[in-house]
Amino acid sequence: MATISIEHASKSFGSTEVLRDISLDVKDGEFLVLLGSSGCGKSTLLNIIAGLDPLADGTIRLDGEVVNDVHPKNRDIAMVFQSYALYPNMTVERNIAFGLEMRKYSKAERKAAVREVASLLQIEHLLSRKPSQLSGGQRQRVAMGRALVRRPKIFLFDEPLSNLDAKLRGEMRTEIKKLHQTLKATMVYVTHDQIEAMTLADRIAIMRDGVIQQIGTPQQIYSTPANMYVAGFVGAPPMNFVEVELARRKDQFGVILPAVLKGQPIEYFLPLQETEQLAGREGSKVVLGLRPEMITHNAFGQSSAPEIECDVELVEPTGADTLCLIRLAGQPAKARVSPLFACEPGESMRFSIDTSRICLFDGKTKQLIG
Amino acid sequence: MSNPRQRKQQMSVLDRLQRYLPQLVVAPPFLLLVFFVYGFIAWTGIISLTDSRMLPSFDIQGFQQYARLFAMDRWDVAFHNLLIFGSLYVLFALMIGCLLAVLLDQHIRAEGALRTIYLYPMAISFIVTGTAWKWILNPSLGIESYMQKLGWESFQFDWIVNRDMAIYVVVIAAVWQASGFVMALFLSALRTVDEDIIRAAHLDGASTTRIYIGIILPSLRPVFLSAFVILAHLSIKSFDLVVALTNGGPGYSSTLPANFMYEMAFRRNQIGLGAASAMMMLATVAAIIVPYLYSELRAKHHG
Ligand SMILES: Nc1ncnc2c1ncn2[C@@H]1O[C@H](COP(=O)(O)OP(=O)(O)O)[C@@H](O)[C@H]1O
Ligand SMILES: [Mg+2]
């Protein structure tokens, strides 16, 4: 059993508030990802969980017990740092064994534990080297080994892959996921990379300026983002935001979507589900959130989906898909179509719009309203 | 208007000037350096092989002056003092400087002020240090008389007038002067240590003492080496501190080789003997600097 429960945690460095009233629960065996841009307080939150930074306000519980004043070494937590933080003067073997050494394990026990972890991470041949003689990927593995060898109940990862090249990052991501499935330990993983977050997480907590914006499964975060910040942060290319007017045409509720066809402005009407939250707001402006894959070539859209025809300004092939740059309500927007159907830049093309997954945001509060 | 041909020529003169400017600027100091440092080393080396007394002569006599030098009790005392002074000075300055740096590294509040206070002695001339400590340690003026006046009648601290202990007084004053500098050296190095390493060690269960002794200080090896070389060569060059503090006394019990050299060359008309002692000092410095430079250059080569 290893649960983490944080209630109303706040933290400031001098006059800068780094964490504001954070409440967060991590279930036993869960893989929780803290996602946010650099400087939003992710590392600070992780350090607080580990006990490396004192908590100013609020409580933190591990397995239900308040641990605000418990020393980091007594929390049974291991952490992997972004810079790996290996001890430069020790061999890989001693680096990994250091935690056991401090906990008074015998030499034989340490040796056996190091062997086991080293074979799991395939770093047996590196054991006698110093950190300065290792490549970035190898250091990363050693840092993981140092965390694994103690068999702690909670693992914390602080952007462990951000110093690796793209290929290695992909491989290590898979390994970390496998590791989690094998160990079934509770893990909190910090990253600014939304793809890492989406692929690894059981649940994601998105942070901004020391405030948690939304906590949910990757699917929830992706399909029903709580606000425009979350919607824009997750997904690549990001969600298109188009400012439109709510309207009613022939008894059908929907939005008016201005576009450009053959150089001339043209208005389309997109029918939408009329929810309670939207009722009576006709004539007011809202922000329409459309992911690129919701605007696609009409052969791929559902037959009942509304269609628009507009000029394509630019075409960006990515291999699997082609992104078409179009203009909606004066804003550039991206549509994702199959390369087979993509037109030439400057031509016009018919797109079908998947209105069932559209997000609507309030222009002022930036919150999701439908 | 100048014609294009002329302009081209002007350009090429400027170009050439630009190309050779660095050499032109560096050349005179370089020549001066070669002449005044290495030239005079060679000159001293030659003089040490002659029978020069009041005025330099160039009558080569072989190693006669060195034989005289090694036969002198005065040189024996000076060189023995150098061994005591050099080793204790380097050791204590390193230890105290290092300790101060570690203590200051704990992000204490008055750090800036303390750093300045500790570093300040280095800015004082050795003459001032020597004079101040001479007063402090003088039995009838300084600590001893002060303590006795306070009522501690049996208190005794007369090292400065004690033949066997005078050299240790020089050590005390020199360590006082150099510790702050060593501290600054270590403190700046401590500040470059990755904080995550310290965090990781805390999580691994190491105490702060253990983290410093087991992880941080070993990683400062290059700084230890630099500090050692700086202190070692300072100790061999030490001259003015002894002059101001004990003036070599009582008798000649606290002289260092540099004082010996000065005494012989400039006061007793024994230039040849002075030159021989200077060459011995050079050999001592070389014994320390050469291995250091060698290891530095080798490290560079190996990347
Ligand atoms: N020890 C510290 N002293 C002062 N400010 C700090 C300290 N640590 C972090 N901060 C500030 O707190 C904010 C959040 O930092 P951090 O938690 O490291 O962000 P992240 O890991 O999300 O990039 C940053 O603005 C940073 O400048
Ligand atoms: Mg960080």
Side-chain angles (χ1 to χ4, degrees):
Chain A
M1 269 293 285
T3 64
I4 308 170
S5 161
I6 299 168
E7 286 155 25
H8 307 296
S10 303
K11 173 84 187 174
S12 317
F13 289 111
S15 59
T16 42
E17 264 193 305
V18 178
L19 298 179
R20 293 174 220 195
D21 196 25
I22 298 257
S23 291
L24 182 66
D25 275 302
V26 188
K27 300 189 199 90
D28 181 42
E30 186 174 34
F31 199 118
L32 181 91
V33 173
L34 293 174
L35 176 64
S37 54
S38 172
C40 71
K42 309 179 296 290
S43 299
T44 307
L45 183 54
L46 217 54
N47 285 329
I48 282 175
I49 297 175
L52 295 166
D53 271 341
L55 189 53
D57 259 319
T59 50
I60 166 162
R61 287 170 218 270
L62 300 181
D63 284 338
E65 264 178 68
V66 178
V67 292
N68 283 29
D69 299 319
V70 174
H71 191 275
K73 72 173 184 223
N74 299 326
R75 294 192 183 192
D76 202 9
I77 286 179
M79 186 158 167
V80 178
F81 295 86
Q82 179 175 6
S83 61
Y84 313 137
L86 301 179
Y87 311 129
N89 57 316
M90 300 183 193
T91 61
V92 166
E93 176 157 19
R94 266 204 80 202
N95 257 284
I96 296 176
F98 190 69
L100 301 179
E101 196 182 325
M102 291 299 107
R103 286 175 170 74
K104 309 259 183 300
Y105 280 70
S106 76
K107 217 168 190 165
E109 284 174 303
R110 294 199 310 251
K111 199 146 194 123
V114 170
R115 296 276 151 203
E116 191 187 333
V117 168
S119 81
L120 181 69
L121 293 168
Q122 294 157 4
I123 49 172
E124 292 127 311
H125 58 295
L126 304 175
L127 286 179
S128 56
R129 291 203 205 166
K130 289 274 179 72
S132 58
Q133 300 163 316
L134 302 178
S135 70
Q138 291 169 332
R139 281 178 212 195
Q140 215 283 327
R141 281 171 189 269
V142 176
M144 298 271 290
R146 194 171 59 180
L148 285 171
V149 76
R150 284 200 274 121
R151 303 243 165 246
K153 56 185 182 188
I154 295 169
F155 287 91
L156 307 177
F157 298 89
D158 192 351
E159 310 204 22
L161 307 184
S162 59
N163 289 336
L164 301 182
D165 60 56
K167 182 167 174 287
L168 212 50
R169 202 179 313 160
E171 288 171 18
M172 284 310 290
R173 206 166 65 202
T174 316
E175 284 199 34
I176 291 178
K177 186 147 194 168
K178 270 194 215 153
L179 214 58
H180 177 244
Q181 280 168 1
T182 330
L183 298 174
K184 299 193 168 52
T186 307
M187 295 186 178
V188 182
Y189 185 106
V190 161
T191 181
H192 64 260
D193 179 347
Q194 49 105 10
I195 298 183
E196 248 170 57
M198 296 296 280
T199 48
L200 287 172
D202 291 329
R203 279 193 309 155
I204 298 177
I206 296 205
M207 284 178 69
R208 181 195 195 186
D209 294 340
V211 178
I212 292 185
Q213 304 288 313
Q214 185 176 9
I215 305 179
T217 62
Q219 196 51 49
Q220 282 167 346
I221 299 268
Y222 192 77
S223 53
T224 52
N227 55 41
M228 283 172 68
Y229 179 78
V230 174
F233 201 89
V234 175
M239 182 182 264
N240 302 303
F241 294 119
V242 191
E243 198 175 23
V244 294
E245 197 182 311
L246 286 173
R248 192 179 293 277
R249 290 261 170 98
K250 298 179 210 140
D251 252 14
Q252 176 67 53
F253 183 78
V255 293
I256 295 165
L257 183 63
V260 179
L261 181 60
K262 302 205 164 60
Q264 298 302 312
I266 183 170
E267 283 191 346
Y268 293 102
F269 182 75
L270 298 182
L272 291 179
Q273 193 78 32
E274 186 175 7
T275 60
E276 250 175 66
Q277 239 182 329
L278 294 174
R281 289 178 75 148
E282 282 129 65
S284 67
K285 294 267 186 191
V286 292
V287 176
L288 187 67
L290 277 170
R291 293 209 181 271
E293 66 268 26
M294 298 179 196
I295 316 171
T296 188
H297 190 276
N298 73 346
F300 277 66
Q302 300 146 339
S303 52
S304 63
E307 291 187 0
I308 62 171
E309 185 175 6
C310 60
D311 294 347
V312 173
E313 295 178 3
L314 268 178
V315 174
E316 297 175 354
T318 66
D321 305 304
T322 296
L323 298 170
C324 296
L325 192 76
I326 57 177
R327 198 160 280 275
L328 297 175
Q331 301 286 321
K334 280 182 177 164
R336 174 174 268 162
V337 302
S338 159
L340 299 174
F341 297 101
C343 65
E344 293 297 312
E347 291 178 3
S348 63
M349 185 174 162
R350 290 191 76 80
F351 297 97
S352 76
I353 300 201
D354 182 357
T355 49
S356 65
R357 294 193 285 158
I358 272 178
C359 299
L360 285 180
F361 300 96
D362 187 307
K364 281 206 193 71
T365 66
K366 317 260 187 232
Q367 298 297 312
L368 188 72
I369 50 177
Chain B
M1 276 292 282
S2 57
N3 67 45
R5 212 191 141 92
Q6 230 175 343
R7 270 185 52 176
K8 197 173 166 195
Q9 220 160 29
Q10 268 178 356
M11 281 295 285
S12 76
V13 169
L14 273 180
D15 272 354
R16 228 179 282 171
L17 187 65
Q18 191 168 3
R19 173 134 24 108
Y20 293 116
L21 194 61
Q23 279 100 315
L24 283 175
V25 170
V26 170
F30 180 73
L31 291 177
L32 288 175
L33 184 85
V34 166
F35 181 70
F36 280 106
V37 175
Y38 298 97
F40 280 124
I41 287 178
W43 192 81
T44 308
I46 292 168
I47 290 293
S48 75
L49 299 175
T50 67
D51 60 355
S52 308
R53 286 185 162 260
M54 191 164 135
L55 290 171
S57 87
F58 291 95
D59 188 2
I60 303 284
Q61 301 280 329
F63 290 93
Q64 191 197 60
Q65 298 284 13
Y66 290 90
R68 273 181 71 203
L69 184 70
F70 293 137
M72 286 176 83
D73 178 56
R74 201 184 174 101
W75 170 256
D76 235 28
V77 169
F79 202 79
H80 190 74
N81 277 343
L82 176 62
L83 294 184
I84 296 177
F85 172 74
S87 51
L88 291 182
Y89 167 66
V90 171
L91 189 72
F92 278 100
L94 275 181
M95 269 170 37
I96 295 176
C98 191
L99 190 70
L100 287 176
V102 169
L103 293 179
L104 269 193
D105 192 35
Q106 308 308 309
H107 296 281
I108 53 176
R109 204 171 298 162
E111 185 197 310
L114 284 176
R115 207 170 44 200
T116 314
I117 290 172
Y118 289 136
L119 197 52
Y120 216 75
M122 197 65 188
I124 301 174
S125 129
F126 276 112
I127 297 291
V128 177
T129 306
T131 309
W133 280 92
K134 183 163 76 183
W135 290 337
I136 295 171
L137 297 175
N138 185 315
S140 54
L141 286 174
I143 302 183
E144 186 173 306
S145 78
Y146 182 73
M147 289 306 243
Q148 286 173 354
K149 268 185 212 138
L150 281 184
W152 188 353
E153 295 291 340
S154 61
F155 183 83
Q156 227 194 348
F157 193 74
D158 62 351
W159 286 11
I160 197 161
V161 293
N162 182 327
R163 256 179 185 286
D164 296 329
M165 303 308 281
I167 190 66
Y168 296 99
V169 169
V170 183
V171 172
I172 292 174
V175 167
W176 175 81
Q177 177 141 23
S179 299
F181 164 71
V182 177
M183 175 211 71
L185 214 59
F186 275 100
L187 191 60
S188 63
L190 283 174
R191 287 292 145 82
T192 64
V193 172
D194 182 4
E195 267 195 45
D196 282 347
I197 290 182
I198 303 174
R199 291 172 183 276
H202 270 301
L203 271 179
D204 267 344
S207 65
T208 306
T209 325
R210 177 69 204 236
I211 292 175
Y212 274 102
I213 294 176
I215 297 168
I216 299 178
L217 292 181
S219 72
L220 299 186
R221 234 190 56 172
V223 187
F224 270 104
L225 207 60
S226 309
F228 173 79
V229 169
I230 292 171
L231 292 173
H233 96 274
L234 277 181
S235 75
I236 296 168
K237 290 197 313 197
S238 286
F239 169 76
D240 32 8
L241 184 62
V242 173
V243 170
L245 189 59
T246 63
N247 201 14
Y252 51 78
S253 64
S254 64
T255 48
L256 287 174
N259 304 96
F260 177 92
M261 189 272 294
Y262 180 79
E263 182 79 19
M264 291 305 154
F266 301 115
R267 289 175 130 175
R268 299 201 178 187
N269 299 334
Q270 299 281 357
I271 293 186
L273 196 60
S277 65
M279 292 314 285
M280 291 311 299
M281 285 165 63
L282 179 69
T284 320
V285 172
I288 293 166
I289 301 277
V290 168
Y292 171 70
L293 287 182
Y294 181 71
S295 74
E296 281 287 281
L297 292 177
R298 221 176 48 143
K300 290 258 165 59
H301 258 283
H302 288 254

